[in-house]
Amino acid sequence: MVLVLPAQSVCNHRLKMTRTCWNPVVTILWLCALATVLCSAQTSIGASVVLDPQDVTVIVGERQSFFAKVRGMLSQDARLNLTTDHTDLVEIFPTSIVVSPGDGGFIDRVYEIVLLGLSPGQFDVDANVLPTGLIDDAAAFIRVTVANSQPIILISSVIGWIYFAAWTVSFWPQMIVNYRRQSVVGLSFDFLTLNLVGHSVYAAFNCALFWSGFIEQEYLDRNPRGLNPVLANDVAFSIHATIATLLTVTQCFIYERGEQKVSRIAWGIITVFIVVIIVAGVLVGTATFHWLDFLYVLSYIKLSVTLIKYVPQAVLNFRRKSTVGWSIENVLLDFTGGMLSMLQMLLNGYNYDDWASIFGDPTKFGLGLFSVMFDILFMVQHYVLYRNRANEKTLQEDSSTTTTTATSTTAQSNNTLLRVQFGPQDTTIIVGQAKNVTLRLHGPLSKPVTVNFTQTNATNDNAYVQVTPSTIAFTPPPSNFIDRSERVSLRGLRAGIFDLLAYLSPSSALVDQSQAFVRVTVAKSWSLISVSSVIGWTYFLAWTWSFWPQIWENRTRASVVGLSFDYLALNLLGHTMYAAFNCALFWNGSVQAEYLRRNPRGLIPVLANDVAFSLHAVFATGLIIVQCFFYERGQQKVSYTARAIMTVVALVVMISGVLVATGTYLWLDFFYNLSYIKLAITLVKYVPQAVLNYRRKSTVGWSIGNVLLDFTGGSFSMLQMLINGYNYDDWDSIFGDGAKFGLGLFSVLFDVLFIVQHYILYR
């Protein structure tokens, strides 16, 4: 059967067929034209070659590979010739590579190149392209370091971290000396002022070069094959140095300072520096200087300050014929850091045959030697010239401590002594309100005695509390054995923290007064106490929960890529040391007894929540480390630097254990060493994670929830200290002993850095 269509239908059908066939043809032609344009555009870009990595270390007699990566459009064969001006230091295999274009002229290939170390040195290897202009070879170079020995590299790294730690910790002994003496007499204000200026400009220089992409690019434009000279530890040290020096300056406004003040000479020097900075700023504003030049000016000021800052302290010691007030521990740590710094330079000079970096440009070595010479001068002043010059206050305190210890020892050796006891031994009172404590007299009594009261750190005209009655008389019973308790009313007069002491008159060596005290806290407001307590529990919970966002993120991603293994290892080590310290002081009776023997009126500083937090921290950190064995981790591993730090810590712990076993140390000293390790790790543990984020230009894998909770905890902790400082009029606990506040501020600053990295730099 034949179907005959009307003419109009046939025409319409053909029209539809024509349109249907025409559309694909036009599309194909259009795509071909677009491809031609794209190919032309890509050809105009051309190929590029990159040598990766751009920093290679080779050991003499060993081989090390790197890669030449060629990618892009290539119209003809090209040759890469690998050359160096130091053929006596390294052999290159192969020295020439032929690069041929692939299908369609596009190439994406990787070529392996091997270096054989012949002799130590530092130099560049270049990949020259022939014919020239065919391939972009701007990144076709590597920096090669040929070393004599891998162990020396490791030793140099360990030495570097040790002197970094020594210089970092060196600021704190001076603050501790000031706090214990309640005085800054003997500490040169000129030295402090110049030191603050030096560290401030140094911190500005480091922060700008480390974090400002604009300035970093300007540096790289001037040094096309250079590396940013500022590392994360430089930034951390300079910021910490500025904060620590500021805390020391703050102590000068709180403690006794005598007639000391900043001299006119120091003010004149500082004025000159300010004028120089202003002029440099104006030159930047008028486009005569670049910002990098401005920062170089700051670095020159830092160098100038280093040359002169110790002079005022040495002169002050000479004039006083004494080093009392100037911490010798600060000097010893600075001396250790300086000596190890120079030792590292000498080791590197030998290992890389790079003596020119020491003696060719002697600035760094010379400044280090200059500082060490001043440290030697201070040691001579302290241990030789003025070694017997102690101030009267120190001698009196030593005598008092010796007498108290001897009396306490005698009392404890005889159970038949008359005991004077307060209960409770810790109480809180509000200004204007009264509270009772109980005084108990227990033991043999053959003649009448009177108990008198005294308040530490107070005078009769400036007492913290009104004590009622002011004296209590005890008459011996017929049995000559007394067991009697009396209530003592304490009415708050002014805020403060002090000890109320009870002592018998007439005094006797047969009286045990080891518990004849009560620690009294006079507060301005119960409301502030409640607020402080709420804040305390808030930051306790924030810090406790801060571990879990990281655990959850690892589980969600099934990966730990982006989480620094160095940070994890150091964090586990720090929390383990902290947990051991807390558990020993909280549960071990012999360690507690030793602590109370050294601090007769002290209270055990470890509470149940400290133990709970530290054990939980060890558990949570251990759980995160377990995740690292199950989830994707890429090429990450614990670095040699972190392993070296842990090795040093292990040696310190082992040596401390040996000292305990030989009777040189007591167990309390051993656990104090663990706490010092915890403090040291807190100063350095965040650095690896910050550096990893910086290198990856990403915070993926590093939980921002962890950071925000830690920031909350740290901020609330410092807020609580400030509230307590006001409520108890106890600013000394913050600025007098700045370790806790300083460490909290240090951690918060790192949290701020992580927040900036996450929300601004790499968002």
Side-chain angles (χ1 to χ4, degrees), residues 49-54 56 64-70 82 97 109-114 139 141-142:
V49 58
V50 175
L51 301 188
D52 182 49
Q54 289 198 302
V56 177
Q64 181 67 42
S65 298
F66 68 95
F67 301 94
K69 300 179 179 180
V70 184
L82 296 152
I97 300 172
R109 294 179 188 169
V110 177
Y111 302 90
E112 183 178 10
I113 303 160
V114 178
F141 70 93
I142 61 169

Side-chain angles (χ1 to χ4, degrees), residues 577-619:
M577 299 294 105
Y578 186 47
F581 172 83
N582 286 337
C583 291
L585 262 175
F586 189 75
W587 277 312
N588 189 287
S590 61
V591 175
Q592 287 182 336
E594 175 60 20
Y595 178 86
L596 294 175
R597 187 188 68 80
R598 298 187 189 183
N599 304 273
R601 298 200 299 267
L603 299 174
I604 299 298
V606 176
L607 303 178
N609 60 333
D610 299 315
V611 177
F613 171 79
S614 57
L615 291 176
H616 170 268
V618 173
F619 169 78

